[in-house]
Amino acid sequence: MIQSSKIEQTLEESVVSKQRQLAKRFGLDIVADLSSFELVEKGESILPYSFAKKNLVLPIEKVEDVYTVAIFYVDRLSVLQEVKHFLGENIKEVFVDQEKIESAIEKCYHKSEGKASQYIEGLGGDSDPLESSNEESYDLLDSRSEAPVVKMLNMILIEAIQAKASDIHFEPKEKSLVVRYRIDGVLHQRHTPPRELQAQLLTRIKVMGKLDIAEHRLPQDGRIKLMMAGRSIDFRVSTVPVAHGERIVLRILDKANIVLGLNRIGMPEETLNLFKKHISQSQGIVLVTGPTGSGKTTTLYSGISEIASPDVNIMTIEDPVEYKLDGMAQINVNPKINLDFAKGLRHILRQDPDVIMIGEIRDKETAEIAIQASLTGHLVLSTLHTNDAPSALTRLVDMGIEPYLLTSSIVAALAQRLVRKLCPDCKELYVPTDEELKELGIQRKDLVNGKLYHKVGCDKCFSSGYKGRHGIYELMTVSPSIKEQLLTSADAMQLQKVALSEGMLSLRSQGARLSILGETSSEEVLRVTRQVQLEG
């Protein structure tokens, strides 16, 4: 599979090269950035979306009566004839790479940021009945349905995806339905559709997720698969009954947002090199720890991608399989048929694996099988829910695992968090107090001109002051000193002291580095690492 994906990549590069050469031969201008062109800036969509998407063609500017049209397929003359039919004879073509034109098409055909709110405000309680549909994988930008509730839900999904939200919350209140997006780990209230539409909207989501629309008393789980601008996007659906109805949360699984590759997830060079060394071993257990939503799965996927090759058999068991990866067998936990981590892991061991990834070690049985696997020549990667790296060993001891087994099997533990990055459009310099610097663990002489950046807030960051996230990491190698301390006492504070004395960089120290560089604020670093410091 890995070899197949490389062949596909080579073919794609060949197509791009051919079209670029044709553009030069025909004397077309080659445009690298479309964002500054008038029609793209305004987000205007002139051609039918399906036509623009299929043929990668987009009007980007109009000067007097001449349209400038971005194209990718230079050799599709019939497409240009169609464009002339839509726009008139006076057009000027420019060549744009596929990725750039796809991005511009998505921007133009995605409705403006306020459109979802405007549409919801314009809806009344006498809207049309919900159209039941079993359609799968239709494109959100193809507005084929005129039913108000369907259009409203599509707009909400589009807006959340564009804002790079990780979750959408539909929360019924006494007199309304509140819609909130989790962006960069923090919830933002976005819409309040009328109470009259609550039942229709939630029913629409349940129909799409293939849930029982008649069941309102029990929690349900489902999955929705849709398209947006040609890319596949999955939604995990979770419903629970609450006081004023049913609460639904959609987890957005957008492959375009997942950044795989250890060199691309923001690890400092010294941590990165050491982590690569640990996952390149033929046996042992490497643990990744942190709370829900801290990026543990992305780190594991990146580690697996690093060691994947045709001569390595990689198998995973996850709950659920969030992203399907080439070159490995991924098993989905299924409680309905009693397929849990422990049972799946036993069967994986009969499949002659070299590397095993376990979504999470939750109990003693799974931990024992993972240790047995590592002691019999397998590399095991897994996650734990602990606050820092040393606590991973303490947690396993608390589960009932003997310390001597841990010293023989655990290679390293990596703790991580995601801190929000300051919005580059509105962040401002300020002079921090001595108390603030002391809490961060840095000295004033370490600062650039004695200043740090703090958040302000603008339209581009939803007035939060932050845009995007950056990982901070704490990697503890299970050295002879750590093993000795573990056999003496599994106390997390003592293990941390030994690890720090051997050069381990703490989560807070790495966060402080980012604040000095102006990537994040001291307030954000302290927020994310305060619990670690309290317990440490």
Side-chain angles (χ1 to χ4, degrees):
M1 284 187 175
I2 294 173
Q3 192 170 2
S4 173
S5 63
K6 289 180 180 177
I7 292 170
E8 288 174 7
Q9 184 180 351
T10 304
L11 289 172
E12 287 175 8
E13 291 171 355
S14 174
V15 171
V16 172
S17 177
K18 177 189 173 185
Q19 296 300 328
R20 186 177 280 269
Q21 287 174 9
L22 285 172
K24 289 178 180 178
R25 187 187 304 171
F26 294 149
L28 300 184
D29 292 337
I30 297 177
V31 177
D33 183 16
L34 294 175
S35 60
S36 60
F37 286 88
E38 180 189 4
L39 299 182
V40 179
E41 265 189 322
K42 292 180 179 179
E44 292 193 14
S45 48
I46 299 170
L47 300 174
Y49 171 68
S50 56
F51 177 82
K53 179 182 72 170
K54 179 181 177 183
N55 297 296
L56 295 181
V57 56
L58 181 70
I60 58 174
E61 192 173 55
K62 185 181 183 183
V63 179
E64 295 179 352
D65 62 341
V66 178
Y67 277 98
T68 300
V69 179
I71 63 172
F72 174 70
Y73 294 112
V74 181
D75 51 354
R76 292 187 180 178
L77 300 179
S78 60
V79 172
L80 292 178
Q81 290 299 322
E82 290 286 340
V83 173
K84 288 178 180 178
H85 175 72
F86 278 116
L87 305 177
E89 289 295 319
N90 297 324
I91 68 170
K92 174 190 173 185
E93 306 99 37
V94 295
F95 176 80
V96 182
D97 281 333
Q98 181 175 353
E99 185 180 341
K100 300 290 184 183
I101 198 169
E102 284 178 343
S103 176
I105 288 172
E106 184 176 334
K107 178 180 178 182
C108 288
Y109 288 86
H110 164 240
K111 316 305 177 188
S112 62
E113 288 296 330
K115 193 69 177 285
S117 295
Q118 293 166 13
Y119 184 75
I120 289 168
E121 286 171 10
L123 286 173
D126 57 348
S127 57
D128 293 342
L130 174 68
E131 288 184 358
S132 293
S133 171
N134 289 321
E135 296 176 61
E136 274 193 358
S137 297
Y138 70 85
D139 200 300
L140 286 168
L141 298 180
D142 277 328
S143 299
R144 293 181 292 181
S145 175
E146 294 302 318
V149 175
V150 175
K151 288 180 68 176
M152 176 174 65
L153 179 58
N154 284 355
M155 287 180 180
I156 289 171
L157 297 180
I158 289 168
E159 186 179 68
I161 293 165
Q162 290 284 344
K164 292 183 168 56
S166 61
D167 302 86
I168 310 173
H169 292 235
F170 297 86
E171 303 170 2
K173 306 295 182 182
E174 186 177 357
K175 295 183 179 179
S176 66
L177 178 71
V178 173
V179 180
R180 298 198 288 174
Y181 302 159
R182 186 175 296 280
I183 302 170
D184 296 332
V186 176
L187 282 169
H188 300 263
Q189 183 167 326
R190 298 294 294 156
H191 308 295
T192 52
R195 173 73 176 178
E196 294 80 12
L197 293 177
Q198 175 184 323
Q200 294 184 40
L201 184 60
L202 299 187
T203 300
R204 170 66 180 171
I205 296 170
K206 290 172 77 173
V207 168
M208 293 173 71
K210 294 185 171 57
L211 303 180
D212 183 355
I213 62 173
E215 180 56 75
H216 303 287
R217 301 165 301 170
L218 295 173
Q220 297 186 69
D221 293 303
R223 198 159 185 142
I224 300 171
K225 184 172 184 178
L226 297 174
M227 303 288 289
M228 180 167 162
R231 74 176 192 258
S232 176
I233 299 171
D234 286 352
F235 300 84
R236 272 167 41 200
V237 187
S238 173
T239 75
V240 293
V242 292
H244 298 293
E246 279 185 284
R247 191 177 191 276
I248 295 183
V249 175
L250 301 182
R251 166 63 58 89
I252 302 173
L253 302 173
D254 184 358
K255 291 180 182 178
N257 286 341
I258 187 169
V259 178
L260 293 184
L262 291 176
N263 297 322
R264 301 173 62 195
I265 60 175
M267 272 191 192
E269 189 175 358
E270 60 267 44
T271 305
L272 174 64
N273 292 335
L274 193 53
F275 188 68
K276 282 184 177 181
K277 178 183 174 184
H278 292 319
I279 63 171
S280 63
Q281 297 189 34
S282 59
Q283 65 182 69
I285 299 176
V286 177
L287 297 170
V288 179
T289 78
T292 301
S294 59
K296 300 187 297 296
T297 303
T298 300
T299 299
L300 284 182
Y301 281 168
S302 296
I304 284 177
S305 300
E306 185 77 22
I307 57 181
S309 68
D311 57 349
V312 176
N313 180 17
I314 301 174
M315 300 192 71
T316 79
I317 179 158
E318 306 168 58
D319 182 21
V321 174
E322 292 192 9
Y323 298 99
K324 294 179 176 63
L325 303 177
D326 288 338
M328 59 199 71
Q330 295 172 274
I331 300 171
N332 207 98
V333 166
N334 189 344
K336 292 179 182 177
I337 57 173
N338 296 319
L339 178 58
D340 55 15
F341 281 112
K343 189 172 183 179
L345 194 48
R346 284 195 199 92
H347 287 281
I348 282 177
L349 290 171
R350 298 171 193 159
Q351 292 281 315
D352 186 31
D354 298 299
V355 179
I356 301 168
M357 187 190 110
I358 307 168
E360 183 186 347
I361 294 177
R362 296 177 179 172
D363 50 48
K364 181 181 179 183
E365 187 180 9
T366 305
E368 286 176 338
I369 301 169
I371 288 170
Q372 285 294 104
S374 71
L375 294 175
T376 53
H378 303 87
L379 176 65
V380 179
L381 307 177
S382 188
T383 70
L384 270 177
H385 283 277
T386 63
N387 279 324
D388 57 16
S391 296
L393 300 178
T394 307
R395 173 75 187 280
L396 290 170
V397 171
D398 289 342
M399 282 184 186
I401 305 299
E402 293 293 338
Y404 75 88
L405 288 173
L406 298 179
T407 60
S408 305
S409 57
I410 307 293
V411 173
L414 176 77
Q416 67 179 71
R417 295 289 189 282
L418 294 174
V419 293
R420 291 178 291 170
K421 290 162 55 175
L422 284 166
C423 175
D425 295 297
C426 64
K427 66 180 181 181
E428 287 184 355
L429 286 166
Y430 76 105
V431 179
T433 64
D434 291 338
E435 184 179 321
E436 188 178 342
L437 294 178
K438 182 180 178 182
E439 199 169 0
L440 276 175
I442 56 179
Q443 298 181 355
R444 198 169 293 276
K445 66 179 182 180
D446 298 325
L447 307 182
V448 179
N449 299 322
K451 295 181 178 181
L452 292 173
Y453 281 94
H454 66 176
K455 67 174 185 176
V456 177
C458 64
D459 292 340
K460 293 184 179 179
C461 59
F462 294 101
S463 300
S464 68
Y466 298 98
K467 195 172 183 180
R469 290 191 287 180
H470 195 294
I472 55 175
Y473 304 90
E474 175 183 278
L475 179 60
M476 182 187 76
T477 302
V478 181
S479 64
S481 299
I482 294 289
K483 292 177 181 179
E484 185 178 338
Q485 175 59 48
L486 182 59
L487 292 171
T488 304
S489 167
D491 181 70
M493 291 181 66
Q494 295 301 320
L495 289 168
Q496 186 183 54
K497 286 179 182 177
V498 175
L500 290 172
S501 70
E502 293 188 330
M504 180 184 78
L505 296 172
S506 69
L507 287 166
R508 180 162 291 187
S509 66
Q510 292 208 23
R513 282 185 181 184
L514 292 180
S515 67
I516 292 172
L517 294 171
E519 289 284 327
T520 189
S521 66
S522 60
E523 177 188 4
E524 177 69 1
V525 173
L526 295 174
R527 178 186 74 85
V528 167
T529 62
R530 184 162 281 125
Q531 188 64 31
V532 179
Q533 294 297 114
L534 288 173
E535 297 195 357

